[in-house]
Amino acid sequence: MSQWAQQKNRTTKQIIGFLAAVFFLYSMFHLEIVPERVIQSWERSQSLILGMFPPTLDEPIDVLGAALESLHVAVMGTVLGVIFSIMLACFAAKNLAPHWSVSYLVKGFAAFVRAVPALIWALLFIVAVGLGPIPGILALAVNSIGMLVKVYAEAIEEIDHGVIEALQATGANRVHVIMQGVIPTIMSAFISWSVFRFDVNIRYAAVLGIVGAGGIGWELVRASRVLAYDQVLGITLVIFAMIIVMEFLTRYLKQRSDFVLAKASN
């Protein structure tokens, strides 16, 4: 590289660094993040942290029941999301879609759904169906569709086209092609992404109650409203334990499914 090019790259990096520093400082002043506020917040944070210990649970049975409800919401949302995602992915994949415009239309719908956070979907469904676990289930199902349609369609598009042509040559209709050719071929990717999405939904379900969609998140909001910080920490620890347990469970399910599929292919 010539000396002039090296000098140009060095100057470019300096300009970018200077602009980043200016933007950072501007953001601090614009958001009123000044040292005095940070110091004052630290003093308040100390009293908050002291109020959290020791962590307690006012009504352990209700908290554990709410945690179980969050688990139900995650399971139902994932199952519904997987079912509808499989159907939509068959229209989103270019090698299965009846027309290329249908593929782009379904993928565009999935991108729109994926762009809206699960909490926003929960708020919309709360307005539609009211408070409780149902809007949480629907929010997770819709949010799952946005992700799963994309990854399922990509897995289908990677299938050897000869497999589909061979089935079509025998007179198989679209349903037979999907059931006998597509699903067995993408089963490994299908299980992997479905288990991963369930793991994500467990985390979402734990906080959807904050907006009124049921589950343990509502218990967290209830404790914070009455300034019971020791209960807030206790409920947070329950959420943490629930997520850790489900993390090991989903990892086991993934390993087990990989073993079964590997054994079936041999």
Side-chain angles (χ1 to χ4, degrees):
M1 183 181 293
S2 64
Q3 184 177 359
W4 180 83
Q6 293 178 352
Q7 181 64 29
K8 181 181 179 181
N9 289 339
R10 189 180 303 110
T11 303
T12 302
K13 292 179 181 178
Q14 290 175 351
I15 293 174
I16 293 175
F18 174 75
L19 293 177
V22 171
F23 181 75
F24 177 77
L25 294 175
Y26 169 76
S27 300
M28 287 187 60
F29 286 106
H30 182 71
L31 298 175
E32 297 182 357
I33 303 176
V34 293
E36 290 80 4
R37 295 193 63 183
V38 174
I39 294 174
Q40 293 175 0
S41 65
W42 171 248
E43 294 175 353
R44 291 193 297 268
S45 299
Q46 285 181 318
S47 61
L48 172 65
I49 294 173
L50 292 175
M52 286 184 171
F53 292 95
T56 60
L57 293 176
D58 185 27
E59 298 178 355
I61 296 178
D62 291 344
V63 173
L64 295 178
L68 185 61
E69 184 178 73
S70 294
L71 178 60
H72 292 164
V73 169
V75 171
M76 291 295 297
T78 303
V79 170
L80 292 177
V82 167
I83 293 173
F84 285 102
S85 295
I86 293 175
M87 294 187 292
L88 291 175
C90 294
F91 292 95
K94 295 179 181 178
N95 52 350
L96 285 183
H99 192 265
W100 64 267
S101 60
V102 177
S103 174
Y104 283 106
L105 183 64
V106 176
K107 287 182 178 178
F109 168 74
F112 167 74
V113 171
R114 189 168 60 251
V116 180
L119 286 175
I120 303 300
W121 285 117
L123 289 172
L124 294 176
F125 284 120
I126 285 173
V127 175
V129 301
L131 299 173
I134 294 179
I137 294 172
L138 295 177
L140 292 182
V142 172
N143 195 251
S144 298
I145 288 173
M147 170 190 165
L148 294 179
V149 168
K150 179 180 183 295
V151 295
Y152 288 170
E154 290 177 351
I156 294 173
E157 290 174 348
E158 293 175 358
I159 295 176
D160 185 4
H161 195 64
V163 175
I164 298 176
E165 290 180 343
L167 288 172
Q168 292 175 341
T170 62
N173 57 29
R174 181 176 295 274
V175 176
H176 291 156
V177 170
I178 294 173
M179 298 301 297
Q180 299 177 13
V182 174
I183 292 182
T185 305
I186 69 166
M187 184 58 69
S188 178
F190 166 76
I191 294 176
S192 297
W193 283 112
S194 300
V195 171
F196 174 75
R197 185 63 212 188
F198 174 66
D199 186 48
V200 173
N201 283 346
I202 286 291
R203 290 163 169 75
Y204 280 153
V207 297
L208 283 181
I210 293 176
V211 296
I216 196 170
W218 176 251
E219 294 295 324
L220 187 64
V221 171
R222 177 192 59 79
S224 63
R225 285 179 176 175
V226 297
L227 305 181
Y229 299 126
D230 53 345
Q231 295 181 31
V232 169
L233 181 58
I235 296 171
T236 302
L237 293 176
V238 172
I239 294 174
F240 175 75
M242 180 179 68
I243 292 176
I244 290 296
V245 170
M246 298 313 300
E247 176 78 21
F248 283 106
L249 177 61
T250 53
R251 187 178 302 175
Y252 169 78
L253 292 175
K254 176 64 171 57
Q255 293 174 349
R256 186 63 182 173
S257 64
D258 290 342
F259 173 76
V260 172
L261 291 174
K263 187 176 180 180
S265 61
N266 293 332

